Structure formats: structure tokens, C-alpha cells
Amino acid sequence: MLFWERPDLLEQLLPNVDMEEVRKRRKIRLPELDLPRGVDLKQVIEPLPTAEDFPGPLEFDFSSDHVSLGKREDLTDEQYALLETAIRQFHPWRKGPWKFFDFEVDAEWRSNLKWDRIAPVLGDISRKRILDVGCGNAYYMFRAAAMNPELIIGLDPSIPFYLMFEMVQRFLQISNMQYERLGCEDLPVFDRCFDWALCMGILYHQRNPVQILRDLRNSLVVGGRAIVESQSIPGDGSMALFPENRYAKARNVYFVPTQDCLVNWVRRAGFKDVEVVSHCPVTTEEQRMTEFMTYHSLAEFLDPEDASKTAEGYPAPWRTVVVGTRKYLD
């Protein structure tokens, strides 16, 4: 069996989640797992051992830079070879780093650096309900799990990222985490459900970022807070770059805001007490090619003669983190 049996954690959010609509959307997306990429990844996961195959619970550590589980001695040589095959089949690894049974996976993004920027803002999230929109391979979900929240729900429609999460859960079966193959457009199914929402690196891919932020706000309880992290550009004033075709060689980029513009988006979406947590340029220390992500990365996205510009001549990317609070029901 590929997936381990567990209860549907969204039922803990009733009556504030539209479960009928969630089930409809799950049903629509389910056949996508039988597309070639999903089939290939499921085939390399299925031979791996499950939590029940080990004599006791595996050691894991989500509190350090690497999301780490298991030790090399927990696996036979044959199991370790199967694990390495599975890990390499998941190329490209975008967020990390990870450590599977002492096998280190150096992802394109050193996501621990971004986590270090937001963790102080989160503070004590024990017994809180957390949403991660655009959760990718769930790196931030596992980092949050180290802080003992009541519940963590991740949303991302990606088949590879979802199956990465299921591979980790195959070994650990952590009971307060759930990954839904839903996107930010599905946020309206959640109404006053979460204490914290993470929106990390998705706004600049959206045609209507303010509407996404409004839906994000509505998913929070009164007093709930959101951390909004976005690619941005340097500069004063409230403006956003709308690239003619590509930005840093990416086609799916629509609006790249300045810091002031991102703050205003968050405010216009209805958040209060909006503050900038971090605003800094992206560097090749944080985003780069690795053995586990061999496609072009930041260095190849920039003008080779002027690193302050993208390959298209636009301002090079920064990252901005903003936090805001839902104060009212309206």
C-alpha cells in the first residue's frame, strides 16, 4: 500500500470548512495521480519500508536546518539503495535541505534561511492550527511540526511535491499533518479555520494577488495572523513590475511588487497591524544549482555582466516577508 490509513483531519475544522466542496475537488484531482509522472513516482515509493516495518518509532528531527528522519543503520543495504533511487527520481528538489536515513539532499533553495526569518514571528504555535498555502514539498510544514501545533494543513496541487510528503509520512506517520492537493484558488472552502497562515512564494505567480490575500484572510480566525513572503524588487514607492514575457526566465510571473506595494496589497486585503519582517536580495548562497536540482537557478537567471539585473534587464529579485492580522469578521 502506498498511503497509510489515517483520519481526515479537515473534519476537525467543521463546521467552518466546506467538506462537500473539498470532496468534489479532491475527486477531480485524483485521476492526475495516474498520469505518467505520478505513476513513476508511486512505483519507486511502493517498495520502501513503512513505519510498521521497523521495530520501533524512527528518530526524527525537524528543529534543525535539515528535516531529518531515521539513521543509516535502520535500513538494510537493499532498502537504502531503493531509498536513494526514490530520492533521485524526485529530481528536482526545490526546497530543503533534507536528511533521509543520513542521506543528505541539498535542495535548490536553502529554505532554512527563510525559515530563520519567519520562525521568530511565529513564536509559540503550540496548540495552534496552521495553514501552509503553496506548501511545495512540505519543508515548512515539517519545520512547523517541531513547534507542536495542534494541526498543520498544506495546500499544493503538485503531484511530485505531494508524493514527496507521502514518502516522508510513509516512514513517520505524523498524525497532526495533512497535505491537500488544492491550490490558493481553493481557499474559499475554509472560513475562520486557522490561527496562522503561511503564504510563501506564490503571490507573484497569481493574476489577482489581492484576491488571494483576501481569501487567505478569510481562512483565519479573528485574531489569526498570516506570514506573506514574496519575490519582490528593490525601490521606493508602491509599484509592481509586470514583465512583458518572462521574469528571471520564468514565464509564470505576473506582478513583482516593491516592499511598499506588498504592504499595501496586504492592507487592501483587510489585514491590520501589517509589518515588514524581512526585505533582502536573493543570493546564490540561498538559491543555486545542486546535485539534486541540476536545472538553471539564480546565477543563470541574472545578467552575466550585471547581477543587479535579471537576464531580461529587470531589477534582480529580492524577497520580502510581511505579517498581518485579521482583526474583524467582515
Side-chain angles (χ1 to χ4, degrees):
M1 261 182 86
L2 178 58
F3 306 121
W4 55 285
E5 298 293 332
R6 69 275 208 186
D8 189 342
L9 299 186
L10 292 193
E11 293 183 357
Q12 296 183 26
L13 302 174
L14 291 172
N16 290 21
V17 59
D18 186 342
M19 287 302 301
E20 181 178 356
E21 187 62 32
V22 168
R23 293 186 184 102
K24 288 180 182 178
R25 299 183 190 197
R26 286 172 176 169
K27 187 175 181 180
I28 291 170
R29 291 194 179 275
L30 186 61
E32 296 172 354
L33 291 172
D34 292 325
L35 295 175
R37 180 63 166 151
V39 170
D40 290 345
L41 292 174
K42 286 188 287 185
Q43 286 177 344
V44 296
I45 296 174
E46 285 171 343
L48 297 174
T50 67
E52 290 80 7
D53 295 321
F54 298 100
L58 290 173
E59 293 183 16
F60 62 89
D61 180 11
F62 303 155
S63 62
S64 56
D65 292 347
H66 288 79
V67 170
S68 176
L69 61 138
K71 297 295 183 183
R72 173 62 185 87
E73 56 266 26
D74 296 326
L75 299 180
T76 65
D77 290 345
E78 180 182 1
Q79 289 170 333
Y80 192 77
L82 290 170
L83 173 68
E84 181 175 353
T85 297
I87 288 171
R88 295 191 182 280
Q89 187 70 28
F90 274 105
H91 178 276
W93 286 80
R94 298 293 185 180
K95 297 179 182 180
W98 301 78
K99 190 181 292 185
F100 297 92
F101 299 89
D102 294 327
F103 186 97
E104 295 194 27
V105 178
D106 187 12
E108 176 188 17
W109 282 91
R110 291 183 63 202
S111 304
N112 56 293
L113 299 178
K114 193 178 294 185
W115 179 257
D116 289 343
R117 296 176 197 133
I118 70 168
V121 181
L122 286 171
D124 181 7
I125 59 171
S126 59
R127 300 177 297 281
K128 301 294 186 182
R129 294 177 173 183
I130 314 299
L131 174 68
D132 186 354
V133 183
C135 62
N137 64 11
Y139 176 86
Y140 301 117
M141 291 174 65
F142 285 105
R143 293 301 305 269
M147 304 166 77
N148 195 35
E150 176 185 334
L151 182 69
I152 310 173
I153 302 296
L155 306 184
D156 201 303
S158 166
I159 292 171
F161 291 158
Y162 168 67
L163 291 174
M164 282 183 195
F165 174 82
E166 290 292 346
M167 182 175 71
V168 177
Q169 284 287 60
R170 182 180 183 86
F171 297 120
L172 296 181
Q173 300 184 8
I174 297 173
S175 62
N176 66 340
M177 304 175 69
Q178 186 160 305
Y179 194 121
E180 293 286 340
R181 289 192 54 246
L182 301 175
C184 54
E185 68 276 10
D186 299 303
L187 280 169
V189 302
F190 301 103
D191 177 34
R192 293 167 290 155
C193 290
F194 301 102
D195 301 293
W196 273 101
L198 305 181
C199 180
M200 310 278 284
I202 66 169
L203 281 185
Y204 48 93
H205 295 308
Q206 309 305 315
R207 292 177 174 87
N208 192 339
V210 176
Q211 183 60 54
I212 298 300
L213 289 169
R214 289 191 64 83
D215 294 339
L216 187 73
R217 173 187 175 271
N218 292 340
S219 76
L220 294 169
V221 300
V222 174
R225 306 183 76 195
I227 291 177
V228 178
E229 191 271 354
S230 178
Q231 188 166 253
S232 61
I233 55 173
D236 298 325
S238 181
M239 62 189 73
L241 168 68
F242 188 84
E244 179 181 358
N245 185 14
R246 298 185 183 219
Y247 176 78
K249 297 189 178 181
R251 287 187 183 276
N252 61 339
V253 174
Y254 295 96
F255 299 96
V256 189
T258 61
Q259 170 184 294
D260 290 345
C261 181
L262 181 59
V263 167
N264 286 339
W265 283 353
V266 175
R267 286 176 175 157
R268 291 285 292 272
F271 286 94
K272 306 298 181 182
D273 300 336
V274 178
E275 299 177 9
V276 176
V277 173
S278 174
H279 180 62
C280 59
V282 184
T283 70
T284 52
E285 178 186 8
E286 186 167 358
Q287 184 190 13
R288 68 277 189 272
M289 295 172 63
T290 76
E291 176 186 353
F292 299 93
M293 208 300 294
T294 58
Y295 304 141
H296 283 184
S297 190
L298 179 64
E300 292 72 37
F301 299 158
L302 301 179
D303 183 331
E305 303 298 327
D306 183 357
S308 71
K309 297 179 180 179
T310 68
E312 303 83 10
Y314 297 120
W318 285 45
R319 306 296 294 201
T320 302
V321 181
V322 171
V323 62
T325 303
R326 180 178 191 176
K327 286 290 187 76
Y328 313 108
L329 280 177
D330 59 315

